[in-house]
Amino acid sequence: MSAPVHISDIIEVVCEQYRVTQTDIRSARRTGRLVEPRHIAAYLAAKLTDKSLPQIGLLMRRDHTSVLHGRDRIAARVAEDATFAEHVYALELACVSLSMMRGRGVLPAPVEPIVPHDLARRIMAGGRRAAMRVSPDHVLELCEALISAHDFETENGAPAPVLVPAPPVALSTLVRDFLALEAGYRRSPSINLRELRDRAIDSLRDRVDDDDIRALVVAADILRRAEYTAAERDAQARYQRAVNVLSKRFPDNARKEQETNG
């Protein structure tokens, strides 16, 4: 029985080889000793997992352009330096072997990295019940992310950011994005699609002066709190009603989805 290679496995193998910590790899620090292991982790994640560059970036706490840069730098070195290529290939084999051991039950399943801001938003939306479902490993990751960001600002003397208001996004655009993700999740449920859909709902929270938007946000929050309880069925029905109302208000989106499904 085999198992997919997880980003956490890749980070573990790279950290052991370079004698750095997982906190170091995902931190905002830019010291020279962390550059190569970060780039190799990005290269292996892009090669061995089915995650997109933005998804890899979120899990490694970097933007997708940093992941792209690291991947391409390692690929270029592998093509030019046979010794370095052997070194990277050995790390690749170690990652695959680790996943195989997990697949055979020799090792427990890995705890995948989290996106700290997304988890924090889900906890705040779900309240105490959501907070109680957070694993100790993810609590530690939240703490690491907070301390890492603080240390980076302290070490680099980063000034307080100047917030420039972004131009408002049209409500129709936000709803269109949400309805597309909702339809995609209904057709083929996945954790990634669910997170993207929930993020789209969060982007609508400052538009709750609209009754239909407020109804959707409230229904989504109730559904999150009701998961795995006897109230989940009613909460799901309430949420679906709110989705249907928005679909009727935006018939172009509904028609496009019907054409896609047809």
Side-chain angles (χ1 to χ4, degrees), residues 27 89 107-108 118 197 252:
S27 75
Y89 183 60
L107 294 174
D118 288 352
R197 181 200 66 180
D252 287 343

Side-chain angles (χ1 to χ4, degrees), residues 6-12 22 26 51 59 61 98 102 107-115 119 134-142:
H6 293 268
I7 287 182
S8 56
D9 291 337
I10 293 170
I11 294 175
E12 180 179 332
Q22 297 193 27
R26 294 196 295 264
K51 296 189 181 299
L59 295 173
R61 299 180 196 162
L98 185 57
R102 294 194 193 282
L107 294 174
V111 177
E112 282 288 66
I114 60 168
V115 180
L119 178 58
V134 178
S135 73
D137 294 294
H138 286 168
V139 171
L140 289 173
E141 282 205 57
L142 280 173

